[in-house]
Amino acid sequence: MVEIEVDGRAVQALPGQDLLAACLAAGIYVPHLCAQPNLPAEGGCRMCTVEVDGEESPVQACEVTVAEGMVVRTRTARVEKIRNVALELMLAPHPKDCTSCAAYLNCELQALMQYTGVAHSRLREIEKETARIGSSDSIIAKEMFRCIQCTRCVRACDDLRGVGILQLNHADGEVYVGTAGDVPHSQTDCRFCSACVAVCPTGAIMDVPGLFRTDVPRTQALVPCQDSCPAHTDIPLYLQLAGQERYSDSVAVFREKLTFPHSLGFVCSHACESGCKRGKIDTPISIRAVKRFAVEQDPDQRWRERTSVAPATGRRVAVVGAGPAGLTGAYYLARKGHDVTVFERSAKPGGMLSYGIPRYRLPQEVVDAEVATLVEDAPFTIVTGTDVSQVAALREQFDAVLVATGAQAGRRPPEFAAGWPNAFDGVDLCHRWNDGTAPALGDVVNVLGGGNVAFDCARSVKKLGATTVRVLCLEPFSTMLADAEEGREALAEGIEILASVAVAPVVGDDGRVVALSVSDVVAFSFSSDGLHLDLVPGSERELALDSVIVATGQQSDLTPACGLELRPGNFVVVREAGATGVDGVFAAGDAVNGTSSVVGAIADARRATSAVDRYLGGDGDIEDTLFDREGHDPVLGTIPDFSGLARTDCRTAQAVTTETSRCLHCELRRDIDTAKYWTDPVFKAPVVAP
Ligand code: FES
């Protein structure tokens, strides 16, 4: 270490460290603007001016390297005069509308004005002709009249990222920051990493408003794909590894959080893709398809060698339900050394993966292989064909119980509640198609509902030979709950979609539904007394049918006999981390939350599993590290026509590499240091007067 003295205080500095960094690290605030720890020093703003004994003139702390015995003064009259004049010169062309700037209260320039007491310039205001040059893009908002030419953005783009699309331009005798030719970033080699945004000390270069969530920690919000994934998988990393053809490493990364990566490669609701920031530029990265490709190129599954099972605890756990949530719970509890038995009503494990999703979307052998892998890696017992209705009573035989029975009962609107012989629940039909017991439905089948189950039913019926298949839903097409590709593919398969319609059954003399009465909807709303419809006058017509499938929602099929407190829909009421009102009985997944998604059920089961382990005396830690992080390379470099790269189908290694190269690498922004303000608590230590 190097010992120096700053304002009378002894400071230990690192050899080779610059004086500014040494002072800040020691809790001594020295003003600075153009300096930023991730960037090479520029030394232009003069805010960090200090006096060093033995130096005739004041120096810039960001440009001076510490030396043993150096004696430094940061607040002398000479220093403050230089600093204040430099700040006034900077403020002369700067707008005075701080309160209407998006960076208000997050502006390093504003904070320096408060620190120094320098108000807007005493100098004549300077109007810069070039101040309004600089167009915004879909994710980067520019107000270049707020630029102070500290060149942090230029250095971030050039030195940090190796992209170099920002530069100092010259026009009309003025210098300003811009792109070559002042074109938008989308017409340059910009990688849209937003490093320029992260380092800008003012409101000149900002994220467009609303780009990130504000209700979660900033580091989480900054990577929207990972934030949107219910399991918060490290998506940027596994995309990058897949793009490098390191498929086993890629699988290892998402297997750290997800128990059914291959199944999810087929059916994940891919909330991550909705969050993907590339979607704001053109289309999101095809994250689900990358995941599936990587799993299918990873026959050796080397990452499995890094999973281990703890010594036996002697504790016995019952899991009710062998769906994604139940099996996830069983796997992690077995890995924590507990003796786990899973009870499943159906003949096969897998829950909705085996029975709720049509085989054309998810092959059964994929599910079977993933279940086998879980049991092989962390042995637990699965008892199929066993219906446990009194789940709470299991607690008498086991040290803990995890209820993960899903939401496997159809929920019908009141007008379809009657049990007509040709009206079927969608979720029940899916189950019966998968176990081979489904009835014939006829040639004309109408499906009610706008979610994935409705489309699973419609597309299954069509593939089974029905001539006329219609999906009817209350919502407009654009806001249907089903994945957008479901709607597109259904239309391509010849299925009719009647969106924004209200339907009522027309029952024949034989007690069967013979038609649906359909009316177009202008608007609808729900209140405590039910559904309110505003219909298009005269739009009512009848659609004849052979059978109708009701896929308008699902609920839990638990009954009060289960011994747990239930809420409407027969969902289990839980307290913190899945704990029910019965000691030692926990619940997770759709049985608690209603139908969400496979990935949502897995994420919820992980939370509850951790709580079960703690209840049993464990530490609750179920986190895995199956891949050793190597640290991020901050340099992105350029990719030809980056903005124009179109989404690929990810069916070949080359396509996956191209697809993953479209990533904006939002995660790199987490590595950029946040601004240090003189008001930060770390700087509250008293500074000795000059
Ligand atoms: Fe050191 Fe600008 S000259 S921070």
Side-chain angles (χ1 to χ4, degrees):
M1 298 297 281
V2 174
E3 184 148 333
I4 62 172
E5 183 189 306
V6 181
D7 295 339
R9 283 175 50 180
V11 168
Q12 299 276 322
L14 296 167
Q17 194 171 27
D18 69 71
L19 180 55
L20 175 63
C23 292
L24 295 174
I28 299 171
Y29 180 74
V30 175
H32 53 282
L33 256 184
C34 66
Q36 202 281 342
N38 307 102
L39 306 175
E42 172 92 348
C45 77
R46 300 172 77 82
M47 288 300 105
C48 67
T49 300
V50 294
E51 292 201 77
V52 175
D53 279 9
E55 297 284 344
E56 202 170 305
S57 308
V59 298
Q60 317 309 324
C62 66
E63 292 188 305
V64 171
T65 304
V66 292
E68 186 65 32
M70 187 181 251
V71 177
V72 182
R73 272 176 281 278
T74 71
R75 307 195 70 170
T76 65
R78 191 149 72 135
V79 159
E80 291 190 347
K81 186 169 179 193
I82 293 171
R83 209 179 264 161
N84 292 355
V85 169
L87 187 55
E88 288 192 359
L89 286 169
M90 219 178 302
L91 289 171
H94 194 81
K96 297 183 176 59
D97 63 338
C98 287
T99 51
S100 58
C101 171
Y104 183 57
L105 300 181
N106 282 309
C107 173
E108 293 180 55
L109 183 65
Q110 184 186 25
L112 274 182
M113 290 166 68
Q114 291 158 350
Y115 177 81
T116 56
V118 172
H120 272 95
S121 180
R122 292 172 303 174
L123 305 173
R124 184 173 60 84
E125 279 180 45
I126 301 170
E127 277 295 334
K128 294 188 91 176
E129 293 295 320
T130 53
R132 292 186 184 272
I133 297 177
S135 42
S136 298
D137 275 270
S138 52
I139 62 171
I140 298 175
K142 286 186 174 175
E143 293 191 348
M144 296 312 288
F145 52 93
R146 304 189 188 281
C147 176
I148 54 171
Q149 294 179 20
C150 65
T151 72
R152 280 191 190 180
C153 56
V154 177
R155 284 173 283 150
C157 190
D158 200 356
D159 299 289
L160 190 63
R161 295 286 183 256
V163 176
I165 62 131
L166 293 176
Q167 59 189 27
L168 289 175
N169 287 340
H170 302 261
D172 301 326
E174 294 175 1
V175 180
Y176 63 99
V177 171
T179 59
D182 294 315
V183 297
H185 285 215
S186 56
Q187 294 172 28
T188 70
D189 282 335
C190 180
R191 297 287 304 269
F192 287 96
C193 68
S194 297
C196 52
V197 175
V199 299
C200 178
T202 69
I205 306 182
M206 303 275 290
D207 296 308
V208 297
L211 192 59
F212 297 113
R213 286 172 62 186
T214 53
D215 59 340
V216 295
R218 181 75 174 156
T219 50
Q220 181 178 329
L222 280 176
V223 188
C225 58
Q226 188 171 3
D227 178 36
S228 306
C229 170
H232 300 307
T233 48
D234 191 347
I235 292 166
L237 180 57
Y238 80 65
L239 290 181
Q240 185 181 347
L241 292 167
Q244 295 167 351
E245 302 188 22
R246 296 167 65 184
Y247 302 118
S248 196
D249 290 340
S250 175
V251 177
V253 171
F254 57 73
R255 186 58 183 69
E256 289 175 349
K257 300 283 187 189
L258 294 171
T259 38
F260 287 87
H262 198 186
S263 299
L264 288 168
F266 284 88
V267 300
C268 188
S269 52
H270 54 68
C272 52
E273 293 186 23
S274 311
C276 174
K277 205 142 66 93
R278 176 87 198 203
K280 302 275 191 299
I281 295 173
D282 48 16
T283 50
I285 309 289
S286 195
I287 300 170
R288 183 175 71 187
V290 172
K291 176 175 17 211
R292 179 169 156 187
F293 186 87
V295 175
E296 291 173 353
Q297 308 307 311
D298 177 32
D300 299 337
Q301 301 183 319
R302 289 194 320 270
W303 49 268
R304 288 176 67 186
E305 294 161 12
R306 299 189 67 167
T307 61
S308 58
V309 176
T313 62
R315 299 305 194 107
R316 298 178 65 235
V317 184
V319 175
V320 188
L327 292 174
T328 297
Y331 168 76
Y332 284 111
L333 289 167
R335 292 221 8 230
K336 296 298 283 183
H338 307 304
D339 177 3
V340 181
T341 304
V342 183
F343 296 98
E344 168 57 45
R345 178 175 54 191
S346 301
K348 281 187 300 228
M352 294 305 269
L353 295 175
S354 291
Y355 291 101
I357 296 171
R359 293 283 70 88
Y360 71 84
R361 281 184 62 203
L362 175 60
Q364 182 66 47
E365 50 274 24
V366 168
V367 183
D368 292 344
E370 296 208 297
V371 174
T373 298
L374 294 178
V375 176
E376 206 173 298
D377 288 352
F380 57 89
T381 304
I382 304 175
V383 180
T384 54
T386 302
D387 192 4
V388 180
S389 54
Q390 297 176 342
V391 291
L394 276 178
R395 176 69 179 86
E396 292 163 19
Q397 302 158 49
F398 291 86
D399 296 305
V401 177
L402 178 63
V403 180
T405 45
Q408 304 201 32
R411 182 155 58 181
R412 299 183 178 195
E415 59 275 24
F416 282 88
W420 307 296
N422 63 336
F424 304 91
D425 285 322
V427 63
D428 184 51
L429 266 183
C430 287
H431 195 289
R432 293 172 70 180
W433 277 316
N434 283 331
D435 71 7
T437 62
L441 299 179
D443 288 334
V444 181
V445 181
N446 288 354
V447 183
L448 307 187
N452 281 338
V453 175
F455 281 91
D456 283 348
C457 290
R459 296 179 66 189
S460 294
V461 170
K462 188 72 180 171
K463 288 177 201 301
L464 288 168
T467 51
T468 303
V469 180
R470 303 184 188 99
V471 172
L472 303 99
C473 67
L474 199 51
E475 303 86 4
F477 185 82
S478 59
T479 60
M480 283 189 314
L481 292 175
D483 297 340
E485 67 252 35
E486 288 294 323
R488 281 195 301 272
E489 287 171 22
L491 287 172
E493 290 164 4
I495 292 166
E496 296 173 40
I497 299 176
L498 282 74
S500 295
V501 292
V503 295
V506 179
V507 181
D509 296 337
D510 59 356
R512 297 168 64 87
V513 181
V514 294
L516 293 180
S517 170
V518 178
S519 301
D520 293 327
V521 172
V522 178
F524 70 92
S525 60
F526 290 95
S527 72
S528 54
D529 36 288
L531 173 64
H532 301 271
L533 292 168
D534 181 5
L535 301 177
V536 176
S539 64
E540 186 175 345
R541 66 272 191 197
E542 284 193 3
L543 299 175
L545 54 79
D546 291 321
S547 54
V548 59
I549 301 173
V550 185
T552 49
Q554 286 155 239
Q555 61 183 27
S556 158
D557 54 10
L558 289 168
T559 67
C562 73
L564 302 174
E565 185 185 351
L566 302 178
R567 61 182 173 85
N570 294 327
F571 299 113
V572 182
V573 175
V574 296
R575 290 150 183 82
E576 205 178 333
T580 69
V582 178
D583 181 54
V585 179
F586 297 76
D590 291 359
V592 174
N593 306 310
T595 39
S596 54
S597 60
V598 177
V599 65
I602 292 172
D604 192 54
R606 281 171 52 91
R607 282 189 287 275
T609 299
S610 182
V612 174
D613 182 53
R614 281 195 299 276
Y615 176 80
L616 294 173
D619 59 9
D621 182 6
I622 59 165
E623 292 303 321
D624 277 323
T625 303
L626 304 179
F627 174 75
D628 292 325
R629 269 65 173 169
E630 295 155 359
H632 300 129
D633 179 0
V635 178
L636 289 173
T638 57
I639 291 177
D641 192 26
F642 179 77
S643 292
L645 288 176
R647 182 169 156 123
T648 74
D649 61 8
C650 293
R651 298 222 172 105
T652 64
Q654 180 57 49
V656 167
T657 298
T658 302
E659 183 64 20
T660 54
S661 74
R662 298 175 63 235
C663 179
L664 307 186
H665 289 282
C666 304
E667 79 285 0
L668 293 180
R669 199 158 149 188
R670 287 177 176 153
D671 297 340
I672 295 180
D673 289 25
T674 51
K676 289 186 167 49
Y677 294 100
W678 62 278
T679 47
D680 291 348
V682 68
F683 298 125
K684 284 281 159 58
V687 176
V688 174

